[in-house]
Amino acid sequence: MRVEIWSDIACPWCYVGKARFEKALAAFPHRDEVEVVHRSFELDPGRAKGDVQPVITMLTRKYGMSEAQAQAGEENLGAQAAAEGLEYRTRGRDHGNTFDMHRLLHLAKARGRQDELIQILYRANFAEERSVFSEGDERLVELAVEAGLDADAARQVLADPDAYADEVRADEREAAQLGATGVPFFVLDRTYGVSGAQPAEVFTQALTQAWGERSPLKPVGQADPAGGAACGPDGCAVPQQG
């Protein structure tokens, strides 16, 4: 069975959702027969490559909230990440264009190292002090090498703006055709769809139902009108403190 995950490195719910999905997958009886493929989805495709700004600044401008509200949301996200065993820097992170990262992820897919690279990129963006946006291509090359890719191959992709660009755009078009308006978006064997960073139990249900079935895409885990938290064209919903 194939599970395709549309996501963006700038999406905190994708970071959390991946951990929740993997928790369910680890307990799934047929986990060794499940292929996971990561697909591209840019939350901010119109942002120029060099346009980097603090996350708090981005949140206040996008949502019209105060800095205190934005920081409270980051603290809440940090707590949710910690609940999944993930590190999350609630202060000092920045935000930028992720197109080059998606292109590198397609190189990694071709080399059989895609899951390794996406996890390293998530960690670098959400947990480490060094920026994945403002330090230039060599920072991305360094992370690609950590994932097991050849440094020269990564540099060649980054130096050629057309390398894997079509593959990124094709993923994004396919997401739109499947009805994805935000990420993370999980498609199981082209049979079931799970939208948002749902609890692990929802992913367990989806894996069980999708196993061996072939039918039109059905939404899973949307009994709660609020649904799972996701990032969409207007950004990421910021959890508020209770």
Side-chain angles (χ1 to χ4, degrees), residues 66-139:
S66 68
E67 288 191 8
Q69 289 172 320
Q71 187 59 55
E74 281 293 282
E75 298 291 343
N76 200 326
L77 268 166
Q80 296 205 39
E84 303 302 331
L86 302 171
E87 294 184 49
Y88 189 99
R89 292 181 67 235
T90 60
R91 298 177 183 271
R93 292 194 305 108
D94 57 14
H95 175 80
N97 182 284
T98 58
F99 187 62
D100 284 347
M101 297 181 214
H102 286 294
R103 296 195 300 118
L104 283 178
L105 283 166
H106 277 279
L107 169 67
K109 179 185 175 184
R111 302 290 191 272
R113 307 298 295 176
Q114 192 185 43
D115 192 70
E116 289 82 358
L117 180 57
I118 197 168
Q119 191 60 37
I120 286 169
L121 289 172
Y122 278 142
R123 184 204 69 207
N125 184 40
F126 292 109
E128 296 183 356
E129 291 188 13
R130 294 178 60 192
S131 173
V132 296
F133 299 109
S134 62
E135 291 195 21
D137 288 352
E138 281 305 303
R139 172 64 169 149

Side-chain angles (χ1 to χ4, degrees), residues 5 12-25 80 84 183-186 188 193-206 218-231:
I5 307 173
W13 292 119
C14 297
Y15 181 46
V16 172
K18 182 176 186 290
R20 292 174 178 173
F21 168 76
E22 288 176 346
K23 184 183 296 184
L25 182 61
Q80 296 205 39
E84 303 302 331
V183 285
F185 183 61
F186 301 77
L188 293 82
V194 178
S195 180
Q198 300 280 355
E201 292 78 9
V202 173
F203 291 116
T204 297
Q205 175 193 357
K218 306 180 185 70
V220 173
Q222 295 184 354
D224 174 5
C231 298

